[in-house]
Amino acid sequence: MDKDFSMEDLKDPERLKFLLMKYAKTEAFKVWGGFFLVSLTVFMLFSSGDFSFLLTLSSLVSVFSFLMVALKIEAGRSCKGVSLRMMECYLAIFFFRLCAIVPFEGYLPFDKSGDWFYQTCEALGFCLAGTMVYFCRFRYAATYDPSTDNFQHHWLALGAAGLSLIFHPNLNNFLPSDISWAFALYLESVAVLCQLFMFMKEGQAAPHTSHFLAAQALAKIMSFIFWASSFNELSNPNHTIKAFVGNWVVCTQLVQLLVMGDFIYHYIRCIRQGIPVSQLLCSDNV
């Protein structure tokens, strides 16, 4: 087993060259390298350079991860390792977020990408999540194992709905859409639990779903940074409960990062050591 990448490797040109060539052949390098090029292109073509582009980039990361899983399922003609219940949660997440950002502008980035590109990314995410639900339930249903995907996701939805009724911003000044946005945010913070529990049930992590969760964590970090810097806009200081909505929104996003903390730690260790992410749950290797 190779050692972790260290600063000492930077002092040895031959060792550094060897490591770079080794990482360039990994699936993770191809996935993240491809995404970096796409992101750079999008920024140059559709962004005005405003800080709020971070919110668009977060959505782009998320859509990229869904596309990666959908292509992997179609190429392998198998849904093995994919949590249907998580995808159903994301289908609801995208739907309710679209209800808040398509007819209204309160939750859109100020960046030029908020004119149409951000909404397009969310709509693509909705279509991709729906496609994977279709794959798991119908097209490749024979390859889907419901016995390992039994996390009770309806409780997550009920909890998110209850919280959104109490703690919701009012940037759209239209109650149903404000609640819809909050519901999508709260459900998204815990939807990954379905996939994490499936990993534990199966005792292994599928590479494409591992990259998917890592991308979702990155997207949430970007979203967290954006809303943490502007959470005051979400609060209403003249209301007893809504005065803390901004704080609650930031905290719920932090919850997802904490929930995924152990997974992300081992994912990064796999990447650094050049170990396939399919061995992510093997403590002897990571």
Side-chain angles (χ1 to χ4, degrees), residues 230-246:
S230 54
F231 72 97
N232 287 330
E233 297 180 16
L234 302 173
S235 303
N236 182 357
N238 300 319
H239 193 282
T240 304
I241 296 179
K242 293 184 179 180
F244 302 98
V245 168

Side-chain angles (χ1 to χ4, degrees), residues 25-46:
K25 297 178 182 179
T26 64
E27 182 179 5
F29 180 88
K30 296 174 183 177
V31 169
W32 291 109
F35 169 72
F36 175 78
L37 292 177
V38 171
S39 300
L40 184 61
T41 302
V42 168
F43 179 78
M44 294 176 64
L45 294 178
F46 303 112

Side-chain angles (χ1 to χ4, degrees), residues 189 216-218 220-221 224 252-262 264:
S189 297
Q216 289 300 316
L218 177 59
K220 188 54 60 180
I221 289 173
F224 172 80
T252 54
Q253 296 196 28
L254 187 60
V255 164
Q256 181 174 351
L257 297 178
L258 294 176
V259 166
M260 299 180 68
D262 183 67
I264 295 304

Side-chain angles (χ1 to χ4, degrees), residues 140-161:
Y140 303 121
T143 64
Y144 168 68
D145 184 7
S147 65
T148 59
D149 186 23
N150 52 13
F151 191 87
Q152 300 301 312
H153 62 326
H154 59 274
W155 291 113
L156 299 179
L158 287 174

Side-chain angles (χ1 to χ4, degrees), residues 22 84 143 163 193 248 284:
K22 176 184 176 182
L84 167 63
T143 64
L163 287 174
L193 286 173
W248 185 255
D284 293 338

Side-chain angles (χ1 to χ4, degrees), residues 39-57:
S39 300
L40 184 61
T41 302
V42 168
F43 179 78
M44 294 176 64
L45 294 178
F46 303 112
S47 174
S48 56
D50 189 82
F51 174 73
S52 60
F53 175 75
L54 200 61
L55 195 59
T56 302
L57 186 59

Side-chain angles (χ1 to χ4, degrees), residues 1 203 266 269-270 273 275 279-286:
M1 180 176 64
H266 286 94
R269 288 292 303 275
C270 283
Q273 295 183 18
I275 297 174
Q279 300 181 34
L280 185 141
L281 299 182
C282 301
S283 57
D284 293 338
N285 293 329
V286 182

